[in-house]
Amino acid sequence: MPLYRADVYTHTGEKKQLRREAAGENELLRELMAQQYTILAIKEETPKKRWTLGGKTNTAKKLTLSEQHLYCTTLSSFMKSGLSMTEVLRLLQKQTRDKNLRPVYTQLRESVESGRSLAASMSALGVFRDSLVGMVESGEKSASLADILEKAGELISNEISLRRKIQSSLTYPILMLFVGIGVVIFLLSFVVPKLTALVVESGAQLPLITRILIAVSDAVRVGFFPVLATIIVIAYFMRTHKVKLPIKFHFFKDVRDNMSFALIFSQTGTLLKAGMPLVQALKLTEPLDPVKGRLPAVEEHIRQGYRFSQALEKEGSFPEEIVTIIRVGESGSNLPDSTLRLGASCWDYAQTSMQKWATLAEPAIILLMGVMVGFVVVAVLLPIFDLSSLAGQ
């Protein structure tokens, strides 16, 4: 929300300058009048385009997952000690040893002291993931920020663990893939032309597979470096301009959906545990849902008198298994715990699916390299065997 600066008189006649966030100037005006202030002037403050971190201009490079996990856990633990937000940020600024987090704490403290909320300050800084900013915003509005930050730390920790498992599973097959591709390029560029030249000079009829191999070898020798240079330029352009390929792997859709469900129901369950009404909890969870408009539709159904499970079913994009679990939780008057367990279950399912794909990658890459090398070997040896048989006759 935009930040406004208001010059006011209190009911005792004291002049003050306030900084408040509000959806609009009229809303802030009503809020100040309700607090018995006499308003002199209201002006919206223009946010800074860039922040300076450690004396250097920040280009909004995201913090790593490990740094965001450390931020969530330390901030949560300090807040539970009863300190104010500015005191917590000041302590963290002095005590942290992370060179990337120290300037972040400094800027957050200055922004919070100027009147912004923590979520707005994090969003303006631009180094946190959007889902974390959304969770912090809902935590501030529900007065359960410490618990929300603790839950966010758990989710980020689970994601770090999942990524490490996938990286360890894919390291060996990816190394094999690069080595295999290098071997195949070497064969096509240097070995195949010399061997096939002998066969071509003999005037013998070449098999189809050998003719295909020669064509591929010529293409690799002529176009390898231009194609490689083009790929490097395109990759650099996409990285600097943050362009994403419009390609989606549909076999990962189930994994993406379950990770989204895990965020939605973990956050909703945490807010329900804090005593928040269901509609308000869903409203605060909206920033975490990548499918825009889905949760507002569920909220509208609930306002019309439907139960949570019925609203999910009428919305139509939630699987029947999720609707059933929510229905059981409602029947047992244990909706917060059921929602939390559902979020954990969706996350476990996403982890298991990702681990499965990582495990299948190794034999798939080995099979692909075997086919490529086998094709080269057969294409080279087949005409040589034919020449040997003709020489024997």
Side-chain angles (χ1 to χ4, degrees):
M1 288 190 295
L3 180 66
Y4 293 91
R5 183 177 69 248
D7 297 322
V8 301
Y9 280 115
T10 66
H11 66 282
T12 59
E14 180 184 0
K15 186 177 182 180
K16 282 188 175 183
Q17 187 177 82
L18 306 176
R19 285 182 172 86
R20 298 280 181 89
E21 284 186 324
E25 187 173 331
N26 291 334
E27 180 177 334
L28 178 61
L29 186 63
R30 288 193 295 269
E31 179 183 337
L32 294 176
M33 290 178 65
Q35 297 175 1
Q36 298 182 351
Y37 285 114
T38 302
I39 297 94
L40 300 177
I42 295 179
K43 184 178 180 180
E44 181 178 356
E45 292 194 347
T46 304
K48 295 180 180 179
K49 296 296 182 182
R50 291 186 175 183
W51 298 74
T52 55
L53 299 180
K56 299 180 180 179
T57 301
N58 176 34
T59 55
K61 181 180 179 181
K62 297 286 186 182
L63 294 175
T64 64
L65 283 180
S66 298
E67 290 169 340
Q68 295 190 55
H69 173 257
L70 179 62
Y71 169 82
C72 292
T73 53
T74 53
L75 193 60
S76 173
S77 60
F78 273 81
M79 288 186 64
K80 289 183 177 179
S81 64
L83 299 175
S84 66
M85 179 59 66
T86 53
E87 291 173 332
V88 169
L89 292 173
R90 185 176 290 107
L91 285 174
L92 291 175
Q93 173 191 345
K94 294 179 180 179
Q95 296 181 9
T96 184
R97 297 181 179 180
D98 192 300
K99 62 180 181 180
N100 292 328
L101 281 177
R102 184 178 293 111
V104 169
Y105 288 133
T106 302
Q107 296 294 344
L108 288 177
R109 178 184 59 79
E110 293 175 355
S111 180
V112 170
E113 286 178 344
S114 70
R116 284 186 179 273
S117 64
L118 179 62
S121 303
M122 291 169 59
S123 178
L125 195 56
V127 297
F128 296 94
R129 53 167 47 185
D130 294 337
S131 59
L132 178 57
V133 175
M135 294 184 76
V136 170
E137 182 180 358
S138 66
E140 288 182 307
K141 291 180 179 178
S142 62
S144 57
L145 181 56
D147 294 333
I148 295 295
L149 283 170
E150 185 177 5
K151 188 65 179 179
E154 292 177 5
L155 292 174
I156 295 176
S157 177
N158 290 338
E159 185 173 348
I160 292 173
S161 176
L162 174 60
R163 290 192 177 191
R164 286 174 179 170
K165 289 179 182 178
I166 295 173
Q167 288 172 356
S168 62
S169 300
L170 291 179
T171 299
Y172 176 66
I174 288 178
L175 179 62
M176 287 187 58
L177 178 63
F178 280 106
V179 171
I181 291 176
V183 170
V184 170
I185 291 175
F186 174 77
L187 291 174
L188 294 175
S189 302
F190 300 100
V191 178
V192 170
K194 294 180 179 180
L195 291 177
T196 54
L198 299 175
V199 182
V200 172
E201 290 174 359
S202 67
Q205 179 66 31
L206 297 178
L208 176 61
I209 189 173
T210 305
R211 295 199 300 271
I212 295 174
L213 180 64
I214 294 174
V216 173
S217 176
D218 293 340
V220 169
R221 285 190 294 115
V222 173
F224 175 72
F225 289 106
V227 170
L228 180 62
T230 302
I231 292 174
I232 292 175
V233 170
I234 293 175
Y236 177 78
F237 176 82
M238 294 179 64
R239 181 178 180 85
T240 54
H241 292 78
K242 297 181 179 180
V243 178
K244 294 184 179 180
L245 288 173
I247 300 175
K248 293 184 178 180
F249 298 99
H250 291 287
F251 46 83
F252 283 142
K253 182 179 184 301
D254 197 30
V255 176
R256 293 195 302 268
D257 288 345
N258 276 278
M259 293 185 76
S260 299
F261 294 148
L263 285 174
I264 291 171
F265 291 109
S266 295
Q267 177 76 343
T268 303
T270 302
L271 295 176
L272 291 176
K273 272 279 191 181
M276 183 171 293
L278 178 58
V279 172
Q280 189 176 357
L282 291 173
K283 183 71 175 177
L284 296 179
T285 308
E286 286 180 22
L288 305 182
D289 188 8
V291 182
K292 302 304 178 185
R294 178 164 59 181
L295 290 183
V298 174
E299 297 165 24
E300 184 60 30
H301 292 318
I302 295 175
R303 291 191 186 97
Q304 294 173 1
Y306 292 97
R307 304 181 71 178
F308 190 20
S309 58
Q310 295 171 329
L312 293 175
E313 189 173 15
K314 283 185 67 65
E315 195 280 329
S317 63
F318 292 88
E320 181 61 32
E321 297 83 358
I322 288 180
V323 175
T324 302
I325 293 174
I326 294 297
R327 184 179 295 118
V328 171
E330 288 176 324
S331 301
S333 300
N334 196 21
L335 184 58
D337 289 334
S338 297
T339 309
L340 285 172
R341 285 195 298 268
L342 177 58
S345 177
C346 290
W347 187 264
D348 290 340
Y349 182 86
Q351 282 187 312
T352 304
S353 299
M354 289 296 292
Q355 190 66 37
K356 178 187 69 175
W357 287 112
T359 304
L360 290 175
E362 182 174 348
I365 292 174
I366 293 174
L367 179 62
L368 175 63
M369 298 312 304
V371 171
M372 293 172 62
V373 175
F375 171 79
V376 174
V377 171
V378 171
V380 170
L381 294 181
L382 191 58
I384 294 177
F385 288 153
D386 292 341
L387 289 177
S388 299
S389 61
L390 290 174
Q393 293 176 1

